[in-house]
Amino acid sequence: MSLELEELYQEVILDHSRRPRNFGVLENADVLVHGDNPACGDEIHLGVQFGTDGRLQEIKFSGQGCAISLASASMMTTKLKGKSRAEATEMGRAFQNLVTAGESEQAKSLGDLQLLQGVRKFPQRVKCAMLAWRAVEQALAQTAGEATVSTEADAGNR
């Protein structure tokens, strides 16, 4: 990563972690997912409201965690709002590939989320970046109700 790109990465991560977008409790959420990363203590509570067409009409999160966890959740909710389930699922796969394997053609659809690709050098940080994505993956598998996910569950599949 070039010095210029690394500075932008740090700036964007700090901005989203200090002033997270879509932060708060989503009243009347269709799906609520609690996610945790026991390795470092990150916690997320994700609320999703689906439109009549199945799109992610509204998505919010609350919780606590490191700068990478909060920034990833903030950037993710901004990017996924208004997307269909299929689009959100595809973006989740692209993000996972980005932070575990590096750049891919699909990563271009992620916009600023591409700045998180540097976490792949730090396996424990990959879990921080993936926590919100694990939660939204669970939310997309449901139409209503509550669920819990962990970065430690199915670790061999991630």
Side-chain angles (χ1 to χ4, degrees):
M1 192 181 290
S2 72
L3 183 60
E4 194 173 284
L5 189 58
E6 198 165 309
E7 287 175 6
L8 179 61
Y9 160 82
Q10 290 176 358
E11 190 176 306
V12 169
I13 299 303
L14 289 175
D15 180 49
H16 276 273
S17 67
R18 290 178 179 154
R19 290 180 295 282
R21 282 57 155 188
N22 304 303
F23 189 84
V25 175
L26 180 58
E27 300 297 327
N28 301 316
D30 295 317
V31 177
L32 296 170
V33 179
H34 169 75
D36 72 292
N37 180 357
C40 70
D42 295 338
E43 271 187 49
I44 187 171
H45 305 281
L46 183 78
V48 179
Q49 192 173 58
F50 296 103
T52 54
D53 59 358
R55 291 186 177 274
L56 284 80
Q57 180 177 318
E58 187 65 53
I59 181 169
K60 285 190 171 191
F61 77 99
S62 62
Q64 59 188 17
C66 68
I68 291 172
S69 177
L70 292 174
S72 180
S74 174
M75 295 166 77
M76 178 197 77
T77 58
T78 300
K79 196 68 177 171
L80 293 183
K81 197 178 285 190
K83 299 289 190 249
S84 69
R85 287 176 186 262
E87 290 169 323
T89 299
E90 188 55 39
M91 290 180 102
R93 281 190 202 113
F95 185 76
Q96 183 176 359
N97 289 339
L98 179 74
V99 298
T100 58
E103 286 190 61
S104 71
E105 190 60 35
Q106 301 165 320
K108 292 178 182 170
S109 70
L110 297 172
D112 284 353
L113 281 158
Q114 292 179 82
L115 294 171
L116 288 167
Q117 71 180 344
V119 302
R120 77 177 183 281
K121 297 175 189 171
F122 309 97
Q124 283 303 103
R125 290 301 188 195
V126 169
K127 290 180 179 183
C128 301
M130 284 299 301
L131 180 59
W133 291 92
R134 295 280 317 270
V136 84
E137 178 182 42
Q138 180 61 46
L140 292 169
Q142 299 179 208
T143 55
E146 293 187 37
T148 301
V149 295
S150 173
T151 56
E152 300 306 306
D154 301 315
N157 295 332
R158 300 279 165 208

